[in-house]
């Protein structure tokens, strides 16, 4: 964001800031793709030791609903929104001439905000975001439950599954198009 901001102030004198901004955005894009790929892998392989996977999927669901599990939760929705921004940002980098600096400054700032929603850290007594990679045993509501204390609790564990009200065709197409619209508002 800072690189693109400096570049947008004086494009001719600060071409190296543009290069730095692009490289940082590409690194961010690879990170986002890695996070999304990891979460999809966990959902597809039913890693129920992770709270997000346990909360949104189970072994009984068809594949189209496993796909929907990704964006059912807050964390997945923010990741979907982030993914659309990454895709649109890369398109902008390759197609825009004069608008890259100012628009990518805003896109990068929005990416910072969306990433903060995935941190899951506490600042003083205020929780910022929610981490999709939190283990079930590390969730405060589950930490002291008897089944978590059993060392073999994963052997018989199945997920809670997708909300029955969301198990329909529209859940597979509505959120991606909705978050594409959200992402496009920044452009």
């Amino acid at each position: 964001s800072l690189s693109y901001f400096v570049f947008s102030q004086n494009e001719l004198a600060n071409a190296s800031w543009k290069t730095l901004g692009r490289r940082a955005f590409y690194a961010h894009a690879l990170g986002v793709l890695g996070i999304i790929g990891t979460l999809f892998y966990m959902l597809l392989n039913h890693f129920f030791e992770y709270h997000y996977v346990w909360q949104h999927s189970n072994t009984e669901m068809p594949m189209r609903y496993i796909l929907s599990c990704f964006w059912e939760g807050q964390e997945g929705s923010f990741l979907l929104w982030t993914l659309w921004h990454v895709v649109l940002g890369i398109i902008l980098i390759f197609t825009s001439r004069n608008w890259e600096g100012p628009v990518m400054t805003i896109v990068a700032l929005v990416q910072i905000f969306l990433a903060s929603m995935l941190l899951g850290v506490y600042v003083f007594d205020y929780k910022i975001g929610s981490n999709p990679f939190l283990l079930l045993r590390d969730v405060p509501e589950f930490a002291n439950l008897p089944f978590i204390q059993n060392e073999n609790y994963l052997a018989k564990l199945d997920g809670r599954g997708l909300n029955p009200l969301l198990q329909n065709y529209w859940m597979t197409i509505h959120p991606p198009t909705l978050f594409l619209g959200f992402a496009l508002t920044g452009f």
Side-chain angles (χ1 to χ4, degrees):
S1 179
L2 179 64
S3 301
Y4 272 117
F5 177 74
V6 172
F7 166 66
S8 66
Q9 299 304 308
N10 186 355
E11 294 180 11
L12 297 176
N14 298 310
S16 62
W17 286 102
K18 177 180 175 181
T19 303
L20 180 62
R22 283 183 173 185
R23 287 181 182 169
F25 194 79
Y26 293 149
H28 170 72
L30 284 174
V32 168
L33 291 174
I35 290 168
I36 289 172
T38 301
L39 192 55
F40 266 121
Y41 182 78
M42 290 171 17
L43 285 165
L44 290 171
N45 291 293
H46 306 293
F47 289 172
F48 295 123
E49 63 261 38
Y50 292 94
H51 183 251
Y52 191 84
V53 177
W54 174 84
Q55 189 175 23
H56 301 290
S57 72
N58 63 22
T59 55
E60 305 288 323
M61 293 184 342
M63 179 55 74
R64 67 182 178 269
Y65 297 140
I66 297 277
L67 180 69
S68 298
C69 290
F70 177 78
W71 48 72
E72 181 195 18
Q74 173 185 343
E75 300 90 342
S77 295
F78 282 130
L79 279 170
L80 182 60
W81 194 353
T82 301
L83 174 68
W84 280 126
H85 263 176
V86 164
V87 169
L88 293 170
I90 289 173
I91 291 170
L92 179 84
I93 287 171
F94 284 109
T95 60
S96 175
R97 299 280 186 248
N98 300 328
W99 289 46
E100 182 179 352
V103 175
M104 287 303 291
T105 300
I106 300 302
V107 169
L109 285 172
V110 171
Q111 290 291 311
I112 291 169
F113 170 76
L114 291 172
S116 74
M117 294 296 105
L118 297 168
L119 289 176
V121 297
Y122 286 91
V123 176
F124 302 110
D125 288 335
Y126 186 72
K127 184 176 180 185
I128 298 176
S130 183
N131 183 353
F133 300 107
L134 193 60
L135 291 171
L136 196 58
R137 67 175 180 251
D138 293 335
V139 175
E141 300 92 57
F142 291 91
N144 296 319
L145 292 178
F147 82 96
I148 296 286
Q149 304 306 321
N150 181 354
E151 63 186 41
N152 295 324
Y153 78 95
L154 294 174
K156 298 176 186 173
L157 188 63
D158 195 5
R160 193 169 72 180
L162 191 65
N163 181 333
L165 295 173
L166 299 176
Q167 292 183 22
N168 63 54
Y169 170 75
W170 292 108
M171 185 58 182
T172 58
I173 63 169
H174 174 68
T177 55
L178 179 72
F179 281 99
L180 174 59
F182 288 165
L184 283 168
T185 60
F187 290 83

